[in-house]
Amino acid sequence: MDFSGNTGQAFTLTYANVTAPTLAGSYSFDAKTKATSGGTLTALIGGSATITVSPVTASAYKITAASATPTAGASDALTITLVDQYGNTVTSFSGDKTLTFSGLGNAPGGNVPTLTSKTGSAVNQGTSELITFTSGVSSAGGSLIAYKAEGPVTLNVTDSGSLSSTSTGGSGVSLTVSGATANHLAFSISPAGAVHKTAFTTQPIVKTRDTYGNNSIGGIGATVTVNLTLSTGTGPLAGTTSSNIGTSGGNGTATFSGLQVNKAENGDVLTAAATSFTSGTSAAFNITAATVTISSGITANNKTYDTTTAATISSNSVVLSGVLSGDTANVKLSTNGYTATFASAAKANGVTVTVSGLSLTGTAAGNYALTPPAGLTANITAATVTINSGITANNKTYDTTTAATISSNSVVLSGVLPGDTANVKLSTNGCTAAFASVAKANGVTVAVSGLSLTGTAAGNYTLTPPAGLAANITAATVTISSGITANNKTYDTTTAATI
């Protein structure tokens, strides 16, 4: 039969260069046309024919959703379709498929997305489940509940074989999940960097959130006043402590600035409260003491060498830097119990002195931390040594000069400190001694200079020249060499003679 209903000899009608539809189904072609290179059928003879295009082997899944913008916690019906590589529904399949879904995140509160199985049971995303298909389309199971506000994000599926929504011809479904109705407040940022009477370095931020922990503005009014209080700690909390988090204000976000706590303490906690919302609490934070330094009024004292590094300080009209307004009358320096130490024990000028144990007193002192003074120096002067014994001045015969000599024997030094006695000795090398006068006399005062100390510790001492030395200058002996003669005389019964 021909296309006009006439019977006769059979023939074959060939359509060349006709692009087959990619979707399975029945399609009518006008038989009055012929194929051209562009696939357009032009007139041939009267009549028409129907061509049926069948899908090829199943190769992927395609997911669609009743809503591409579901709300967290609300059910969203999915349609999962088994398709070929061209996206045609594989209508020849009916039965169960073991599917595993992926792509959605868990809610901040930990809730895992669920999809119902063929029996209606909610199965966590990432866990395999059975879905029933009829003529290639899901007919039992596949209802989604997402809990995390996010998007756009793509939900994909994989079966127990090798097919998935990412295979050729398939597609996942793009979803944008919005938060559920906001019902509580939460600190997205807690205070940090808190110092007494100083604005927090990190100021708190409060958000409206839903049951699942998502930031959400669902259901909030135009004006919702959030009030912050110090729920743990004695404070007080200072600054602007309220903010409108409603849609006409922060629109779900309350940002604070200039907040501070006027007391140094640990473990403080803020609470955010608003009508019709469950309150939220911040992470615990510490209020550290403000730093105080000593600007002036503390000096280190000089001392005489004593073999130790012990030092002392003096205070006079001390000026503290860093005490905040309102506290100046209630924060003072106390030197009770301090310890000062020289950097070395040896005699020297400008020796560094460190101080510890200084403290602050007053009703506000607990809110401050004192930095020990730096840059203090003082001098360690030499200790004085005298000669107790062992040095004597020698007598001499008059020689017209004041030159004198001394003798040393078992010299005893006074003033050498314990620990140094073996390292400080007297040296007479290079000394000079002199009588106070040249004339013959007894007990003439002798002055000595040039005596010195030797030994490893000698540099820490200064020697006082010995005093009270005396010696005798005896008369020099004179003889007559010539010029004197005795005269002869006549016997006169006496011993008298003349020269």
Side-chain angles (χ1 to χ4, degrees):
M1 182 181 291
D2 63 19
F3 288 120
S4 298
N6 302 310
T7 59
Q9 184 176 356
F11 66 93
T12 300
L13 177 64
T14 301
Y15 291 90
N17 301 320
V18 178
T19 301
T22 58
L23 296 178
S26 297
Y27 300 87
S28 295
F29 290 88
D30 185 354
K32 296 179 181 180
T33 63
K34 68 178 180 180
T36 67
S37 61
T40 302
L41 299 177
T42 57
L44 273 177
I45 57 176
S48 64
T50 298
I51 298 174
T52 300
V53 180
S54 298
V56 295
T57 304
S59 64
Y61 293 95
K62 181 179 180 180
I63 308 174
T64 58
S67 173
T69 57
T71 299
S75 180
D76 189 14
L78 302 181
T79 299
I80 304 102
T81 304
L82 185 64
V83 297
D84 66 10
Q85 61 182 327
Y86 304 110
N88 299 306
T89 302
V90 181
T91 57
S92 60
F93 177 79
S94 293
D96 293 342
K97 287 285 188 179
T98 301
L99 303 181
T100 302
F101 294 87
S102 63
L104 302 186
N106 296 343
N111 305 77
V112 180
T114 63
L115 297 103
T116 56
S117 68
K118 61 181 260 185
T119 63
S121 300
V123 178
N124 286 346
Q125 174 187 261
T127 302
S128 62
E129 57 185 295
L130 288 177
I131 302 291
T132 298
F133 285 77
T134 302
S135 298
V137 180
S138 60
S139 56
S143 182
L144 167 69
I145 298 180
Y147 293 101
K148 180 181 180 180
E150 58 180 340
V153 62
T154 300
L155 177 69
N156 285 304
V157 66
T158 302
D159 67 15
S160 57
S162 61
L163 306 186
S164 74
S165 57
T166 60
S167 301
T168 302
S171 62
V173 61
S174 179
L175 301 172
T176 298
V177 184
S178 60
T181 300
N183 64 358
H184 71 278
L185 303 176
F187 283 81
S188 62
I189 296 179
S190 292
V195 178
H196 165 66
K197 273 193 175 182
T198 303
F200 305 145
T201 301
T202 300
Q203 293 286 320
I205 296 177
V206 176
K207 298 276 190 179
T208 51
R209 289 183 177 169
D210 64 15
T211 300
Y212 312 110
N214 298 303
N215 294 332
S216 174
I217 59 172
I220 69 173
T223 302
V224 179
T225 302
V226 174
N227 294 304
L228 297 186
T229 57
L230 190 63
S231 52
T232 301
T234 58
L237 177 67
T240 302
T241 58
S242 63
S243 177
N244 178 16
I245 204 171
T247 56
S248 65
N251 198 29
T253 300
T255 301
F256 295 85
S257 62
L259 291 177
Q260 64 187 47
V261 173
N262 293 341
K263 183 179 181 181
E265 54 190 2
N266 293 332
D268 283 11
V269 175
L270 297 183
T271 293
T275 302
S276 301
F277 287 82
T278 301
S279 298
T281 56
S282 72
F285 58 96
N286 299 333
I287 311 299
T288 59
T291 299
V292 171
T293 58
I294 301 171
S295 296
S296 61
I298 294 292
T299 56
N301 300 321
N302 297 331
K303 77 165 186 177
T304 300
Y305 171 76
D306 61 4
T307 75
T308 74
T309 57
T312 60
I313 60 172
S314 296
S315 60
N316 184 31
S317 301
V318 173
V319 176
L320 299 177
S321 176
V323 178
L324 300 170
S325 176
D327 287 343
T328 51
N330 299 311
V331 180
K332 301 296 180 183
L333 181 70
S334 172
T335 57
N336 292 337
Y338 82 89
T339 300
T341 306
F342 281 100
S344 66
K347 167 190 172 291
N349 292 330
V351 182
T352 298
V353 175
T354 56
V355 181
S356 62
L358 294 173
S359 60
L360 299 173
T361 61
T363 56
N367 297 316
Y368 294 89
L370 178 66
T371 300
L376 295 180
T377 62
N379 301 331
I380 300 176
T381 57
T384 299
V385 171
T386 58
I387 301 171
N388 271 359
S389 61
I391 294 292
T392 56
N394 300 320
N395 296 331
K396 78 166 185 176
T397 301
Y398 171 78
D399 60 3
T400 75
T401 72
T402 57
T405 60
I406 58 172
S407 296
S408 61
N409 184 29
S410 301
V411 172
V412 176
L413 299 176
S414 177
V416 178
L417 298 167
D420 285 346
T421 52
N423 299 312
V424 180
K425 301 296 181 183
L426 181 69
S427 171
T428 59
N429 292 337
C431 75
T432 300
F435 282 100
S437 64
V438 301
K440 166 188 173 294
N442 291 330
V444 180
T445 299
V446 174
V448 180
S449 62
L451 293 173
S452 61
L453 298 173
T454 61
T456 57
N460 297 313
Y461 295 89
T462 182
L463 178 66
T464 300
L469 294 181
N472 301 331
I473 301 177
T474 58
T477 301
V478 174
T479 58
I480 300 171
S481 299
S482 63
I484 296 293
T485 56
N487 298 319
N488 296 328
K489 78 170 184 175
T490 301
Y491 173 76
D492 57 5
T493 72
T494 72
T495 59
T498 62
I499 58 173

